[in-house]
Amino acid sequence: MPASINVLFLAAEAEPFVKVGGLADVAGSLPLALRALPYQATHGAALDVRLVLPLHLHSRAESTTMRPVAEFQVYRSGGSIPAQVFETSLNGMPVYFISGHPLSASPSVYSPDPALDREKYAFFSLAVLEMLRHVDWQPDILHANDWHTALALYALRARRGDPVLARVRTLLTLHNLPYMGGEAADALNAYGLMPLNDDALPQWARTFFLPLGLWAADAIVPVSPAYAREILTPDFGCGLESYLNSRRESITGILNGLDVSGWDPAADAAIPAPFSAANLEPRSASKAALQKSLGLPEDPRIPLLAMVGRVDRQKGQDLAFDALRQSASHAWQFVMLGSGDPALENLAANLQADFHDRVRVALRYDAPLGRLIYAGADMFLMPSRYEPCGLAQMIAMRYGCVPVVRATGGLKDTVEEGRTGFLFRKAEPADLAEALERALGVYANPAKWQRYQRNGMSADFSWPRPARQYAMLYHSLTSS
Ligand code: ADP
């Protein structure tokens, strides 16, 4: 049994340094949760988990606390690229930042130009491997996340002859299978990597970032048990279902946890009055503040429905708009916060124009408004077409906002029909409208409604449980 396990956690974004989506929530909290596990949860091994991130142009990393720890060249045909590594600390955890010109070539974490992103993350992935020769700490496990860091695992497989890398085991957490990073053939060529020659993967997938990482990973972790089963089917497998079926033994679904101290209605400075499962009454102040700030009629009794999230076909905003139109004879108000797909944003604006007395859409990223919505709305709609895990429904439950969700992926694993929320099966407006009617029926009975709220608020979505599962996996990887 190893006395200690060193884990290097690779991600494109992490709270509190830089956040675009749910990946940042996970990368900012799982490594810390792993470090905080008691010895019995890690089979007596000390877990030294460290994080490595790209130094994006707008990362909130204070230059005063960052010390340079390494400088090297990353091989690239046509001219090697200088890279620098800085180290800082997050609650005692060492965090490495890698800088280099492909990373500063675009101002955003994910740029609208996919070619820029491919170059950026190929460079980052290769620079991470190179970094391991230049810092005096060696990982036993590389834990990559999504396509952005998948190439590090592929490159590692190719470099097994290197004594520094020979014994490193690998794990890839899969937050979103359809985002495969696109064609990596140019990147492979530029960074001196051989194309994959293995019939196990379909021909097309052999030059895509994410499939290369899946192929190379010793363990694959989809972010919920239900999604782990779904990706083995043609509906969710994105053409990789046969390959993934052949890797079944290496796949373990682990639900993401939530940073429950960061998302706590009893201690949230962004809401007008703290509340808890034991003291729900002050929640009404958030509802009033939300209605007031958006210019909706201030009525405490009218059910206030909400959505917060990326505006994307995945999230099913179009299904929600149609279902709301179908349920127009019921009294409700609706608020939506999010930005993304212009066609869906247009549909949202149309809905607001048609129901100006009861619909408000805020097409932007706005963290404080998001918190006020979770705290003030009554129901949270999440009609996702697919949902690997989903954090928003867990946050909603923690804030007493009862979820109405499609029974898919992590939504199915976290929301309990008849206890904490309402589920529907088909991605059809009529199915959502029917679930909405059931929810509105229960809402009309305040005692019953409060039971749903309290059940959701008391559910345990915190990190220790999933962190233990990751620790077990690390343990089995390093023991085999
Ligand atoms: P995703 O698939 O985007 O990762 P999740 O539900 O897992 O979806 O996580 C989304 C996170 O981002 C949640 O914390 C949610 O509150 C937040 N979020 C998404 N869009 C917005 C927005 N427009 N304004 C504020 N917060 C947002």
Side-chain angles (χ1 to χ4, degrees):
M1 187 195 307
S4 71
I5 303 177
N6 292 353
V7 181
L8 186 60
F9 196 94
L10 292 70
E13 48 172 315
E15 282 273 45
F17 304 109
V18 61
K19 170 169 172 170
V20 176
L23 174 58
D25 292 292
V26 175
S29 47
L30 172 57
L32 292 172
L34 283 158
R35 290 174 70 92
L37 284 177
Y39 274 125
Q40 10 359 336
T42 61
H43 304 267
L47 272 189
D48 184 353
V49 186
R50 302 182 179 197
L51 179 61
V52 60
L53 299 168
L55 187 59
H56 298 291
L57 276 184
H58 63 290
S59 292
R60 289 183 297 272
E62 278 180 40
S63 50
T64 48
T65 60
M66 295 214 305
R67 57 187 187 94
V69 288
E71 239 176 282
F72 48 81
Q73 302 279 322
V74 176
Y75 167 82
R76 194 185 191 290
S77 64
S80 293
I81 304 175
Q84 246 197 311
V85 183
F86 300 90
E87 188 183 330
T88 185
S89 143
L90 175 65
N91 298 349
M93 172 174 68
V95 179
Y96 301 103
F97 283 94
I98 294 182
S99 74
H101 76 72
L103 293 167
S104 46
S106 74
S108 47
V109 176
Y110 310 115
S111 83
D113 176 358
L116 275 184
D117 273 4
R118 290 199 289 269
E119 180 59 35
K120 188 167 169 166
Y121 290 111
F123 167 77
F124 176 64
S125 297
L126 273 293
V128 169
L129 292 196
E130 198 51 46
M131 172 185 120
L132 301 181
R133 295 169 197 287
H134 294 86
V135 294
D136 59 355
W137 178 85
Q138 292 304 315
D140 301 297
I141 293 182
L142 279 194
H143 184 159
N145 290 273
D146 279 351
W147 77 265
H148 325 104
T149 47
L151 215 55
L153 307 193
Y154 181 69
L156 180 77
R157 271 283 279 262
R159 295 183 184 173
R160 281 294 190 206
D162 182 330
V164 175
L165 304 175
R167 293 187 51 77
V168 179
R169 310 308 305 273
T170 59
L171 187 157
L172 180 65
T173 295
L174 195 53
H175 299 264
N176 206 329
L177 181 60
Y179 289 76
M180 295 197 193
E183 269 281 348
D186 289 350
L188 295 179
N189 196 21
Y191 287 96
L193 295 167
M194 296 291 283
L196 177 62
N197 187 8
D198 183 346
D199 292 342
L201 268 185
Q203 177 80 41
W204 64 265
R206 288 179 221 164
T207 56
F208 273 56
F209 284 82
L210 182 65
L212 290 173
L214 292 170
W215 175 86
D218 296 313
I220 297 170
V221 179
V223 287
S224 67
Y227 193 59
R229 291 188 297 275
E230 287 171 349
I231 58 171
L232 303 178
T233 68
D235 281 351
F236 297 90
C238 303
L240 293 178
E241 56 277 6
S242 301
Y243 174 70
L244 291 168
N245 268 292
S246 75
R247 297 285 315 272
R248 281 179 101 108
E249 297 295 308
S250 318
I251 300 178
T252 314
I254 301 180
L255 197 66
N256 281 334
L258 190 66
D259 169 12
V260 291
S261 54
W263 293 105
D264 181 1
D268 190 330
I271 64 176
F275 60 90
S276 63
N279 183 22
L280 265 175
E281 205 280 321
R283 197 177 186 277
S284 55
S286 287
K287 181 168 178 177
L290 181 59
Q291 288 170 323
K292 186 166 185 199
S293 70
L294 296 176
L296 285 167
E298 285 172 56
D299 181 343
R301 288 157 310 162
I302 191 162
L304 179 48
L305 324 182
M307 289 184 90
V308 177
R310 284 182 294 120
V311 177
D312 187 283
R313 215 182 122 71
Q314 175 197 342
K315 300 288 180 186
Q317 276 94 358
D318 53 323
L319 302 174
F321 303 154
D322 287 349
L324 288 168
R325 289 178 186 279
Q326 290 178 15
S327 308
S329 60
H330 295 272
W332 47 253
Q333 294 174 336
F334 174 65
V335 301
M336 183 187 113
L337 170 65
S339 62
D341 183 340
L344 289 171
E345 287 191 356
N346 238 343
L347 291 179
N350 291 344
L351 188 78
Q352 175 170 290
D354 293 346
F355 295 90
H356 192 70
D357 54 335
R358 54 177 169 151
V359 170
R360 291 292 180 274
V361 298
L363 302 175
R364 60 176 187 270
Y365 191 92
D366 186 337
L369 179 59
R371 287 176 179 275
L372 189 60
I373 292 176
Y374 290 121
D378 298 299
M379 295 177 200
F380 195 79
L381 309 188
M382 216 160 152
S384 305
R385 289 193 163 81
Y386 72 95
E387 194 58 74
C389 175
L391 291 176
Q393 82 281 11
M394 297 192 227
I395 302 170
M397 283 187 265
R398 196 155 160 71
Y399 280 69
C401 185
V402 177
V404 180
V405 305
R406 172 137 188 269
T408 185
L411 296 171
K412 196 151 89 178
D413 284 336
T414 51
V415 181
E416 270 182 80
E417 176 69 42
R419 235 183 69 76
T420 59
F422 302 85
L423 292 112
F424 63 98
R425 282 173 58 80
K426 281 201 245 138
E428 302 286 348
D431 280 45
L432 169 54
E434 188 272 327
L436 202 51
E437 287 205 11
R438 273 188 285 128
L440 292 168
V442 176
Y443 182 82
N445 179 335
K448 229 172 154 185
W449 188 253
Q450 282 176 16
R451 272 208 296 281
Y452 276 72
Q453 289 181 297
R454 291 205 171 91
N455 289 340
M457 294 177 84
S458 328
D460 179 9
F461 297 120
S462 65
W463 269 112
R465 190 186 348 213
R468 276 168 202 267
Q469 293 175 277
Y470 273 106
M472 253 166 68
L473 205 52
Y474 291 160
H475 191 261
S476 71
L477 283 173
T478 47
S479 312
S480 58

